[in-house]
Structures are given as C-alpha cells and as structure tokens.
Amino acid sequence: MRSAPLPRRRTLLGAAAMAATTAALPSAAAHAAGADRTDREHGADATAGLPSDAEVAEQVRAEYLHGWEGYKRVAWGYDEARPVSGGRDDFFAKGHTFGLSIVEALDTLWLMEQDEEVRLAADWIEEHLDPVVDAEIQVFEAVIRLVGGLLAGYLCTGRTKLLDRCRELADRLLPAFTRSPSHLPYRYVNLRTGAVSGSVSPLAEVGTNAVEFGLLSRLTGDGRYWSAAKRAARAVVTRRSSLDLLGTELDIESGRWTDTHAIEPNPPVDSFYEYLWDGGELLDDADLRGWYRMLTDAVLKYQAERRDGALWFRQVDFGTGKTTGHDQSELASFYAGLLGKGGDLAAGRDYYRSWTGLLDRYQLLPEVVDYASGQVRSARNDLRPEYANSAFDLWRLTGADEYRQTAYRYFQAVRARHKVPGGYTVAEDVTTSPVRLGDLMPGYWFAENLKYLYLMFAAAPRFDYRTGLLSTEGKLVRGAVRS
Ligand code: DMJ
C-alpha cells in the first residue's frame, strides 16, 4: 500500500522513522480521565459536552468544504493538493492525473447535499478522466479509489457515463488478474498496454477488490470482474497456514508466501479481512463469510493480547504462533469496527477503547506504536480515517453515545491541529507541541474521515442507515437514497 511500508523484517517501520517517545501506553480505562492540556493549548476543549447534532453536522460539513475549496483553488483536476505550498501531487504516476480528489469527493459531496459541487465533479470526471493512460498504475489503489469512487458516483447520481468510465477502467485493470498463473493479481498494470509488473504483492493488495468488482459485475451483468476477485480471495485462503493464519506478502507467479509473518490487522494485510466480511455482506456470498469467520477466529486465538486492560494484536509466526512483534499501526484501528460488524462486538468495543486511550494521550494518533514498550515508532499522522471509521461502525451497531463523544473529540483535535488556510494537511510529528505539519491533503480525506463524522450526526436523508454499506475507502456501495 502506498503509504505503509512493507514489513520485510518483523517490525513495520525502519529505525529512521522511529521517534524517541517511550513512556508506557495508557490503559484502556485511562482515556476517560484525559487531562488534555495540549488540547486546550490548541483551542480544542475535549471535555465539553456535544453541541446539538445539527450543529456538529454543520461544523463537519463546513470543514469538509474548507478542504474542498482549498483543493479546487490550487489543484483542480490534479490528484491531490499541497495545501501549505499551494502545489499539487500526482498520486498514481508522475505526469498523469486522474483527478483523484474529485473522484474521492463525489459521493461525500452528494451525501452532504452539495449538488452544484456534485455536478462540477461529475462533469470533470466525464470529460477528463482517462482510463487508458500509458502508465503503470497500482491495481489496489485504482480499485478502491477510482473504481469504487466511480461506482459510488454512479449509484448516487444515476449518471451512466460514470459507470461506463468505471467499466473501461476495470477492463484495463483486469490483465493484472487474468495474466497471473496463481490468480493472485500483479501489483501494477500499464493501462494502455496491459503489461503487468510487481510480482510480489502484500495481502491487502491482492485481496481488496471483491466489493468493487462484485458490484460492477452486478451492475453490468458481466461476471468477469467478480470471478477475478473471488478467485484471488480463494487463492489466498487455500494458502493459509495450519493455524489458519496468513503471511504478509505473496509471490504472484509461484503463489508462495515470501514471509511467514502474520501481522493482522496491521497494513499491508488489513483490508483483506475487511473485504471478506464486506464482500460476503454485499454480495451475499457464503464462501467469503465462511473464510472471514475461520481466519478471524485464528487472529483472535493467536494474536489478540491484553495488556493493562487494553486489547492489542501481536505479530506472530504463522506456522508456530510464536510472537515476533508488538507494533500497532494506526491503520489497524479500523479493525475495531470490523470485529463488531463480523459478530465479535465485545472485542471490537475493547479494541476501540485501546485506541481511544492512545488518542487521549497524544490527541492525534501516531502512525505506529509498539504497545509493549510504549515506544512511538512513527510519529507521523497522515490524516487517516480508520479511527473515525470504527467509531461510525460501532455507533451504528450499538447506538452508544461513547462513539459520538469520542468521534467529536477526534474531530476537534484534527480541526485544531491539521487545519491550514489552504485546507487540511498531514503532520510530520504529533508528539511535538505545536504539531509539526507536512504539506499534503490526501485524496482519502475527501472520501472518508468527515463522511463518517457527518453521517453520525446529520441524520442524512440520502443515506439508508439500515442497509448502507461503505467500502474500505468509504465509498457508498449500498444505501444511496435517491429521490
Ligand atoms: C485508505 O486509502 C483506505 O482506508 C485503505 O483501505 C487503507 N487506508 C487508507 C487511508 O489510511
């Protein structure tokens, strides 16, 4: 995955990325006490009660539009904005744009009832998004962001050209699957020539496609996408260890694991599990559901670990179950919601509290911690959405106010620290005061964080709260209510 380095050793990050913070992590219960001195320094009062739902929804929408206007000002038509310098970033390939932030924003703008912006975004996509560029594209990112974004855009607006464009793009991605002797997709494909490359691929990248490809097959009646995705998932599951654990990376050509590290729910394996559950749910597929259950039982049995009342997931050797590390990436915090959705609600709620404890300690989640030593291994914060994603999932499952309270605190902290005149930006180090900021507004910022928050407070008339389903990239793949 793009921003999560691949673990070639037993840790997730190299020594250069490690920060010096080593104090023990707070217990799960400690978060309630959170002194939040730094919060007050930054003007965010984390202990205050919530404003009314309508007020919070309006605050969230205003911040979303602040970022969106910032993007439009300096990077319209380009993938991502650099909100501090006023520059822009090509996400997929240097010199080529897919208007990534526009595709990422489309369904969020629609849910927020910003219809003029929706029209602008959909027009741009129809006129400019070129799915046939002569460049090597990362298949995983193209599927979850572009294919997913176009599908959601189509479901929300009913504009059939979005579905046509989606299909053209998916056709260009298919060689990554069909040219593979193992059915596990290659990492990269040249959209013009169909040449494939990247013969070693992490688990999340080979197996995060069932939702988008399954839905595309349903909408078009063309089964090729779904069968490619299902074959890839099956190819992984048949390679599980005798403990029902999975490794981290696979050789696409030989079909063999290149390592024996079970690192769930960390990247780069995270969303593989998510798509077994989401895919099973969306496509009503008993195999995906069964695989999810079997593999999750093994994760809970061999990797779950309680320390000072907090639940974490250790890294183990997939053949022996022997512990190999205690890193926990911020991206893994999505797993709290997934556990809840998959039927392990008590574990999901506990894991969420572990992350809330960490949030209360640092106000913003660092990218990687070692929960055993208390060391912050990467102090970055890439404006990631996973904690808010779990708050949303667990709130929908339980209705408990804990999730809206903590999600609002998260929102206040992000607004107080990551907001700049040009939008929102990543942070290089969240352990310094003030936080040291970077210069990038990632595409997923428009797809995820504020969408989850908005839906928790807005009683959004365009979202079916009973059946609604969001993909790993926060795309609305079921439950768009069109009048
Ligand atoms: C997003 O692109 C998706 O949520 C993906 O599944 C992994 N994480 C990034 C953002 O952190």
Side-chain angles (χ1 to χ4, degrees), residues 33-237:
D36 281 329
R37 186 174 53 80
T38 327
D39 246 343
R40 276 185 233 110
E41 282 165 9
H42 288 83
D45 182 357
T47 57
L50 289 183
S52 73
D53 288 2
E55 281 173 80
V56 176
E58 200 33 59
Q59 288 177 18
V60 171
R61 181 159 53 188
E63 295 313 313
Y64 187 86
L65 293 175
H66 172 72
W68 175 243
E69 291 302 330
Y71 163 75
K72 280 166 68 184
R73 251 192 324 275
V74 301
W76 178 249
Y78 291 86
D79 284 338
E80 295 176 319
R82 296 195 178 278
V84 176
S85 61
R88 48 188 67 138
D89 177 56
D90 295 326
F91 177 82
F92 287 99
K94 263 218 152 339
H96 297 282
T97 177
F98 291 82
L100 174 64
S101 294
I102 300 175
V103 182
E104 297 267 35
L106 185 54
D107 68 326
T108 316
L109 290 167
W110 182 82
L111 286 166
M112 292 183 176
E113 300 177 73
Q114 302 298 301
D115 289 341
E116 184 49 30
E117 302 303 316
V118 170
R119 193 187 57 70
L120 271 179
D123 285 352
W124 186 93
I125 293 167
E126 288 183 8
E127 282 163 34
H128 302 289
L129 197 152
D130 179 5
V132 196
V133 297
D134 188 8
E136 278 190 346
I137 300 303
Q138 196 172 351
V139 175
F140 160 78
E141 299 289 6
V143 170
I144 66 169
R145 295 165 186 261
L146 298 178
V147 174
L150 293 168
L151 284 169
Y154 165 69
L155 293 177
C156 292
T157 65
R159 290 173 64 149
T160 50
K161 277 195 186 160
L162 296 175
L163 183 60
D164 297 342
R165 199 53 46 83
C166 178
R167 194 173 181 173
E168 284 173 64
L169 175 62
D171 286 346
R172 299 273 160 182
L173 296 169
L174 269 184
F177 295 78
T178 54
R179 295 197 179 163
S180 161
S182 62
H183 302 308
L184 300 161
Y186 284 92
R187 265 190 111 185
Y188 301 98
V189 63
N190 182 302
L191 293 179
R192 179 159 303 167
T193 65
V196 293
S197 57
S199 59
V200 173
S201 189
L203 193 48
E205 297 197 22
V206 301
T208 310
N209 38 58
V211 166
E212 293 80 7
F213 276 14
L215 180 57
L216 184 58
S217 281
R218 253 200 198 166
L219 292 171
T220 59
D222 180 342
R224 288 176 305 147
Y225 315 106
W226 167 235
S227 44
K230 180 102 185 252
R231 273 204 300 258
R234 190 187 299 280
V236 171
V237 175

Side-chain angles (χ1 to χ4, degrees), residues 390-409:
S390 278
F392 173 67
D393 288 341
L394 291 170
W395 170 72
R396 281 181 76 195
L397 287 165
T398 65
D401 223 35
E402 170 187 354
Y403 303 108
R404 298 208 306 171
Q405 297 273 354
T406 48
Y408 188 62
R409 288 217 301 272

Side-chain angles (χ1 to χ4, degrees), residues 1 140 144-145 270-271 331 384-386 444 448 472-473:
M1 303 166 82
F140 160 78
I144 66 169
R145 295 165 186 261
D270 43 2
S271 46
L331 284 102
R384 291 191 188 279
E386 288 77 13
Y444 53 74
E448 299 200 62
T472 190
E473 190 73 4

